[in-house]
Every structure is written in C-alpha cells, then in structure tokens.
Amino acid sequence: MPEVPREYSSSHMLAEKNKKMLELIEDVTKNADEVQKKVLSEILSRNANVEYLRRHGLRGQTDPHTFKKLLPVITYEDIQPDINRIANGDKSPILTSKPVTEFLTSSGTSGGERKLMPTIDEELGRRCFLYSLLMPIMSQFVADLEKGKGMYLMFTKCESKTPGGIVARPVLTSYYKSPYFRDRPYDPYTNYTSPNETVLCPDSYQSMYSQLLCGLYQYKEVLRVGAIFASGFIRAIRFLEKHWTLLCNDIRTGTVNPLITDTSVREAVMRILRPDPRLADLIHRECSKGCWQGIITRLWPNTKYVDVIVTGTMAQYIPTLDYYSNGLPLVCTMYASSECYFGVNLNPLCKPSQVSYTLIPTMCYYEFLPVNRTNDLNASKPSPTSLNQSQHHELVELVDVKLGQEYELVVTTHAGLYRYRVGDILRVSGFKNKAPQFSFVCRKNVALSIDSDKTDEVELQNAMKNAVTHLVPFDAHVSEYTSYADTTTIPGHYVLYWELCLKGSTPIPPCVYEDCCLTIEESLNSVYRQGRVSDKSIGPLEIKIVEQGTFDKLMDYAISLGASINQYKAPRCVKFAPIVELLNSRVTANYFSPKCPKWVPGHKQWIHQN
Ligand code: AMP
C-alpha cells in the first residue's frame, strides 16, 4: 500500500477532530434538557455536604424542584461573608467539597474592589473545553486556518494572595500561566506568533512590544489577528503607531532594543528574529504614510478576520476597528466570565449586531430571570438586588426561554456558586436544537466603561460628591452633571460635563478643577484605577464645563424626542451622539486629571494583612 502523505494524514486527522467537536455541540444542544438535569445533579450530589447547601436545608437532594424551593437567588454580596472566610484561610467545605484552588478576580466590583470568584482545579479543563470548540466552528466558514498563525495579543496581569494564601488573579492570567497554555502540544489552531515568554511577561510595555515585534516579523504567516476585547486590540494598534520606528529598527538589524530587559523575553524573541531589511522597509513605508486606515491589511496582508469581542460595551469600538482593518470581518467567538465560561458563536462571520451565543449546556446549570426593561435604554438604573417570592417563581430553565424575551442570567457552577446572578442581560435570538441562543444586551447598572472597567451611577455619584468639596471655598457648586465614555481618544477616557452655579467672585483656578478630576478617579473602583495605572487602558478623566442653560437645552431636546416633561431627569450618562454633540458645542473649558490615581494589586483590606 502506498503511504498516505504526512500532510494529508494530519489534515485528515484535524478534519476528523473538528467533526467530533461539532458533533459534540450537536449532541449537547439536542439533549440540552437532560444535560442540564445531569449537570445540576452532579453539582449537588458532589457537594451534598457543603456548609452552604446544608445551611439552606438541602440534605443531599439533587432534583431541580427541591433545589429551587430551598436555595435563594443571590448576588455576590450574599456570599461575600463565605468568600471572605475562604480567602482568610478557612479550608472547610463551605461552598464546594473540592478545595478552592484560586480566586478569579472579576472586573465586576463590590465595594470598589474586584469580586472574588472561587474556582476549583477541574474548572480550568472545562474552560479549555470551550476554547477547543472555537476553531472547529470557525474552520467551517474560513478555510485553511491551520496553514498559518494567529497574531493574538495576550497579556497576563499581576496577581496577589489572599490573607489565607490563595492566589487571586484574572481568569485569563490563570489560563496563560497554566500548563494548558504553557505546555500545550503543537496544534495548528493554537499556533500563535507570540512566544509564551512574551505573553507571560508581567511588564505590559515589554509584553506588547515583543508580541508586536514577533507578529510583524512573521507577517506572512499571520491568517488571523485578535485580542480578547476590542479595546485591547485597538491599544495595540496605537502602540504600533507610537513605536513602529523602534520595531522597524529591530527587524532591520535582527536585534531586540535595550528597553526590553526581561531576559526570557529577549531570548524567546531572538529564537525567531533574523535581520530582514526588506520587511523593515515595507513596515517603514506603510507606517510613515501618516494614514492608518487599513493598517492591518497593509502589514498583515493574509489576515482573514479580526478576532475580538465587539458585543456589549465593546460595540463602541466597531468604527475604529473597521477603519484599521478595512472592513475585515470582526469575529466574536465566545461569551464567558470569571464565574464560568458560557457559550460560543456558531455563526462567527455574522455582523457584530447579529452575534448570538449558544450557551453550552455542560458548562453549568443555567436559569433565567425575565426582565422587562421599559424605556430604560441603557439599563443603567440600579435594579433590585434581592428578589421577592413571586420573582423567585419566574425563573425559567435553559430549554424554556422564549424567543425575543430578555433575561438576567443566573448560574449554578461546579465551583460553588448556587443560583448566582451574573449581572448580564441577554435576549433570546434563536435556538440551536434545544439550546437557546442569546444576544448580549448589556451588563446591569453599567453607566461608563472603556475597557473592562464598569462604573455605575451610584459610584459616579459618590465620586462626584467627593470631588465637589474642592469647589466649596469658591462658593460654587455643580448644578447638573452627566458623563460620557469618550472612545474617540486612544485609550478612551471618562468625560464629565458640569454645569456650574457660581456665587463667589474669586475665579476658580484650573488646578482646582484638576484636583476634582483626580478626586473622582481616586473614588472610582479598583478596576478603573488599575486600567489607569497598570494597564494604561484608560486615559485621564476630563471635566468639561458647559455654558449656563445647557442642561435646559438637553431637556428641551429630550422632550422634543418624546420624553415626558413631568418625569424628565437629566441622564447621568449619555451615549446618544446628538446629545454628546449638543454638550460639546457648549463647552467653555476643559480640564484633565494631572496624574494617575493610586492603585495597588490585591484588595485594600489585604494590604496590611499580607
Ligand atoms: P469578568 O467577570 O471580568 O470575567 O467579565 C465577564 C463579563 O464580561 C461578562 O459577565 C460580560 O458582562 C462581559 N462579557 C464577556 N464576554 C462577552 C461577550 N462576548 N460580549 C459582551 N460582553 C461580554
């Protein structure tokens, strides 16, 4: 028998593997109801003896009916005392029978600090399973992806330890540092231009620089580019705009500039890099044109799509990405959180506005709380944190959701969350077999967001209260304010529009407004401050002073659009372009935060204990 060529056999094997993964999706979605029952029963039987379930009266029962009758639907604050006990070193089985191996630090905050999501060892395998579905799905729509590489910008963030010695870090940092990522066997679908060392480098400048250097050098092989969120990818392009001459020089000479001091990064890059003056000329030509439109296709001409999340608040970056990529498909592959990974997009080449995620029934046990948003266009109003008896009865299971209806996602995870409200609002947009598909509507109570920061109106109000004390000596106060997440700058930044009531005669010097900016930043949550200080993903906060009467004009405008005059309240956050234009047309002065607010890794309560 003639031997099958190696290339054929490996592509055949890959096709077989892909087919298996797609069959698996078929299977779990066809049997979504049974799979969900099994997941719940597994979670409850394995954790039958944990303190939390016993406290609520569950004595080993694993059926959905008893579970729902006894267990309350909760938010983070309800289990915070339990989480704190675990963080402080209590090793008894409080939430799970398996030990909590780390805390995943969510970008959602509580009391200004990141929420701590408990996780157990095996969860990592479940998360990797979801990742392993993505390329088989993608390869149905885009051919030959296995023939090249992905230029994905991946970053690890700093980690800290709880007083009880448990590591607390973001979910992606946990994944990149795990053997699943570091020691992954060769797979054409996880073949990235970035060597592991560049991803694991804790210094964000060196990590970004070295990843872009390797990505540029291997430009011919790059078939797809991406980052997790759109904001991160745009930041990389901006970095390239600023640093391309240095990068070009390194490619010309085949060396790494001395700013890259991390020896493991230098060595990893030097294993790839050789002098390539022709490539350096090409990059120089493209980057010195002064126009960055289509820069992605100009520098990485074989790129077939941009893999970034542009649903939810990230939708604000779509025009910028279209500009840089000359309209390449923007692909949102998955929907996930620190609590649990949830779903995948089975139609990844669809338009961003059409994206829907199929929740994978094996990941956790899902429930859905119907929401009826009336005129609450951005859902930024605080919603009730605890449910009344009748709301408890309204929750429905995965296979019972209704097309077109909006729901808040509630999950029970293998890692110790029971009937936990994730805080996301989803709308049913279709079904894959019995499993529903959801479009992401919004995160509850988020007024402002640039990167992974999420600031709600209450936080903003408190920050304002602290800031306006600087105006007191001038007998001035803020009569109206609103805010806007300005993403026309890179990085984006928060803007506050202030209309002032000035009674004093002494003019207010600029430094006072700058102090106000900084006080607001100091008062915002730790994710915001980390974005400003460590990730540099958020620019300095800006206060724009508007003319007297601007907020009256705003009201006139809202009423002309049909708002009720009796119920009108100035919005605390604006998104609608004509309103932003109206505000901007009446700005008399603007001020920026003069420096970064304070931020240290870990929770503020741990600083003195560690
Ligand atoms: P974190 O807890 O920091 O991991 O953030 C998870 C949150 O990010 C989710 O609860 C969503 O609000 C948001 N998120 C994650 N994936 C997506 C997505 N594909 N589209 C929109 N928002 C997302």
Side-chain angles (χ1 to χ4, degrees):
M1 283 277 283
E3 216 176 286
V4 182
R6 237 184 108 209
E7 207 175 292
Y8 171 80
S9 78
S10 66
S11 69
H12 182 71
M13 267 164 60
L14 191 69
E16 276 302 304
K17 217 166 112 189
N18 287 351
K19 198 167 140 231
K20 273 212 178 93
M21 295 317 271
L22 295 173
E23 280 168 5
L24 215 149
I25 297 176
E26 277 299 320
D27 189 45
V28 294
T29 52
K30 270 187 185 145
N31 300 301
D33 39 3
E34 287 101 75
V35 174
Q36 280 284 276
K37 280 203 182 74
K38 199 163 149 240
V39 166
L40 181 66
S41 156
E42 252 170 41
I43 294 173
L44 296 181
S45 56
R46 166 203 290 186
N47 294 312
N49 289 319
V50 305
E51 186 184 318
Y52 183 83
L53 294 181
R54 301 215 132 230
R55 194 188 301 153
H56 289 288
L58 211 62
R59 298 271 176 266
Q61 301 96 315
T62 60
D63 62 293
H65 179 74
T66 317
F67 171 68
K68 288 182 201 173
K69 204 170 94 198
L70 296 177
L71 269 287
V73 177
I74 57 159
T75 62
Y76 183 76
E77 286 67 29
D78 295 309
I79 46 161
Q80 203 165 17
D82 292 314
I83 302 265
N84 287 344
R85 276 172 59 201
I86 302 170
N88 288 329
D90 189 334
K91 296 205 163 42
S92 62
I94 300 173
L95 295 173
T96 50
S97 57
K98 299 238 167 103
V100 170
T101 44
E102 27 177 332
F103 281 112
L104 303 176
T105 53
S106 163
S107 57
T109 54
S110 172
E113 298 292 332
R114 284 174 180 271
K115 292 176 183 169
L116 297 175
M117 296 302 162
T119 192
I120 54 176
D121 245 347
E122 66 173 48
E123 264 308 274
L124 194 51
R126 217 166 266 117
R127 289 196 285 273
C128 291
F129 163 72
L130 203 86
Y131 285 136
S132 71
L133 302 178
L134 304 181
M135 291 307 285
I137 296 170
M138 201 65 217
S139 62
Q140 299 174 101
F141 301 90
V142 184
D144 296 337
L145 288 172
E146 70 283 2
K147 300 203 167 124
K149 294 189 177 186
M151 186 186 77
Y152 281 78
L153 298 151
M154 300 172 267
F155 301 97
T156 37
K157 296 194 182 178
C158 55
E159 56 187 49
S160 53
K161 273 205 173 155
T162 68
I166 301 178
V167 172
R169 55 191 174 189
V171 62
L172 286 168
T173 300
S174 162
Y175 169 63
Y176 296 141
K177 289 192 170 181
S178 78
Y180 285 92
F181 179 80
R182 295 171 75 133
D183 307 331
R184 64 192 186 279
Y186 174 79
D187 176 335
Y189 289 155
T190 54
N191 191 6
Y192 305 122
T193 52
S194 301
N196 286 358
E197 292 82 350
T198 62
V199 176
L200 295 167
C201 173
D203 180 291
S204 60
Y205 175 90
Q206 297 190 47
S207 176
M208 178 75 93
Y209 185 93
S210 55
Q211 293 195 55
L212 280 172
L213 182 57
C214 295
L216 284 166
Y217 182 74
Q218 301 171 82
Y219 78 107
K220 272 194 195 144
E221 293 173 71
V222 172
L223 300 183
R224 50 200 169 107
V225 298
I228 300 297
F229 288 112
S231 51
F233 190 74
I234 289 172
R235 215 161 56 245
I237 301 295
R238 180 74 182 153
F239 187 98
L240 185 63
E241 265 186 271
K242 273 196 189 154
H243 302 286
W244 63 266
T245 45
L246 269 183
L247 289 157
C248 237
N249 193 42
D250 283 356
I251 289 175
R252 190 175 302 283
T253 55
T255 54
V256 188
N257 84 67
L259 287 174
I260 307 305
T261 52
D262 185 316
T263 43
S264 66
V265 171
R266 293 186 71 86
E267 282 166 19
V269 176
M270 287 313 294
R271 281 198 289 277
I272 297 175
L273 196 64
R274 299 287 171 274
D276 190 343
R278 282 181 59 183
L279 174 58
D281 286 343
L282 184 146
I283 299 169
H284 191 281
R285 219 175 27 250
E286 292 304 330
C287 294
S288 58
K289 277 182 183 159
C291 166
W292 282 71
Q293 182 165 15
I295 196 71
I296 296 168
T297 41
R298 278 153 50 193
L299 294 178
W300 294 279
N302 300 321
T303 306
K304 300 182 182 198
Y305 62 89
V306 183
D307 187 345
V308 281
I309 291 177
V310 284
T311 40
T313 56
M314 291 293 149
Q316 59 195 343
Y317 294 105
I318 293 173
T320 314
L321 284 171
D322 282 341
Y323 176 83
Y324 284 141
S325 73
N326 257 349
L328 280 176
L330 302 177
V331 169
C332 298
T333 55
M334 64 186 277
Y335 166 47
S337 78
S338 311
E339 289 87 341
C340 184
Y341 281 16
F342 307 120
V344 293
N345 178 0
L346 295 178
N347 186 18
L349 290 188
C350 68
K351 286 200 198 108
S353 57
Q354 309 278 301
V355 170
S356 66
Y357 300 102
T358 304
L359 299 194
I360 299 297
T362 51
M363 298 305 290
C364 63
Y365 179 70
Y366 303 96
E367 291 177 85
F368 299 87
L369 177 65
V371 271
N372 293 309
R373 296 180 312 136
T374 43
N375 290 324
D376 184 6
L377 284 180
N378 55 28
S380 61
K381 291 191 188 75
S383 58
T385 47
S386 58
L387 302 185
N388 60 34
Q389 205 55 38
S390 77
Q391 284 169 314
H392 260 98
H393 293 303
E394 286 176 12
L395 269 83
V396 295
E397 297 195 346
L398 184 69
V399 294
D400 295 328
V401 296
K402 299 274 174 291
L403 190 66
Q405 168 72 46
E406 288 182 6
Y407 296 93
E408 187 185 334
L409 180 62
V410 175
V411 295
T412 296
T413 69
H414 296 83
L417 301 176
Y418 304 93
R419 310 195 84 193
Y420 178 90
R421 294 168 74 176
V422 174
D424 290 341
I425 311 285
L426 310 174
R427 184 185 307 117
V428 185
S429 52
F431 288 86
K432 165 73 180 172
N433 298 317
K434 282 188 192 163
Q437 302 178 302
F438 291 91
S439 51
F440 184 92
V441 177
C442 62
R443 177 137 185 133
K444 266 188 332 178
N445 305 340
V446 173
L448 293 167
S449 172
I450 294 290
D451 190 34
S452 50
D453 53 302
K454 299 166 175 67
T455 297
D456 67 30
E457 286 188 14
V458 179
E459 262 187 294
L460 193 62
Q461 174 67 32
N462 287 337
M464 278 288 299
K465 214 165 71 196
N466 296 339
V468 295
T469 54
H470 295 291
L471 302 180
V472 174
F474 299 90
D475 208 3
H477 70 268
V478 177
S479 52
E480 281 293 3
Y481 77 92
T482 190
S483 64
Y484 174 60
D486 184 351
T487 52
T488 57
T489 56
I490 304 174
H493 69 292
Y494 289 9
V495 177
L496 290 182
Y497 294 92
W498 281 10
E499 187 170 318
L500 295 176
C501 174
L502 300 163
K503 293 203 194 101
S505 50
T506 324
I508 304 174
C511 63
V512 172
Y513 291 113
E514 288 172 3
D515 286 346
C516 293
C517 291
L518 188 60
T519 302
I520 295 175
E521 294 203 300
E522 295 284 8
S523 311
L524 293 177
N525 64 61
S526 130
V527 179
Y528 175 88
R529 286 178 286 114
Q530 181 171 3
R532 281 281 286 125
V533 177
S534 170
D535 306 344
K536 312 264 186 285
S537 56
I538 306 173
L541 183 138
E542 182 180 10
I543 290 176
K544 289 183 174 177
I545 308 295
V546 293
E547 286 167 21
Q548 293 295 317
T550 299
F551 279 78
D552 284 344
K553 284 265 179 287
L554 209 68
M555 178 170 75
D556 294 345
Y557 186 74
I559 289 165
S560 77
L561 293 180
S564 144
I565 194 157
N566 293 325
Q567 290 169 336
Y568 178 81
K569 281 206 290 320
R572 288 299 171 226
C573 166
V574 294
K575 293 189 172 83
F576 190 45
I579 295 208
V580 178
E581 263 167 45
L582 189 155
L583 287 162
N584 280 337
S585 70
R586 302 177 68 95
V587 172
T588 55
N590 67 325
Y591 306 93
F592 287 94
S593 202
K595 57 181 185 185
C596 282
K598 287 192 237 15
W599 173 80
V600 283
H603 277 206
K604 62 175 181 283
Q605 300 93 302
W606 303 345
I607 310 297
H608 303 296
Q609 297 178 42
N610 269 330

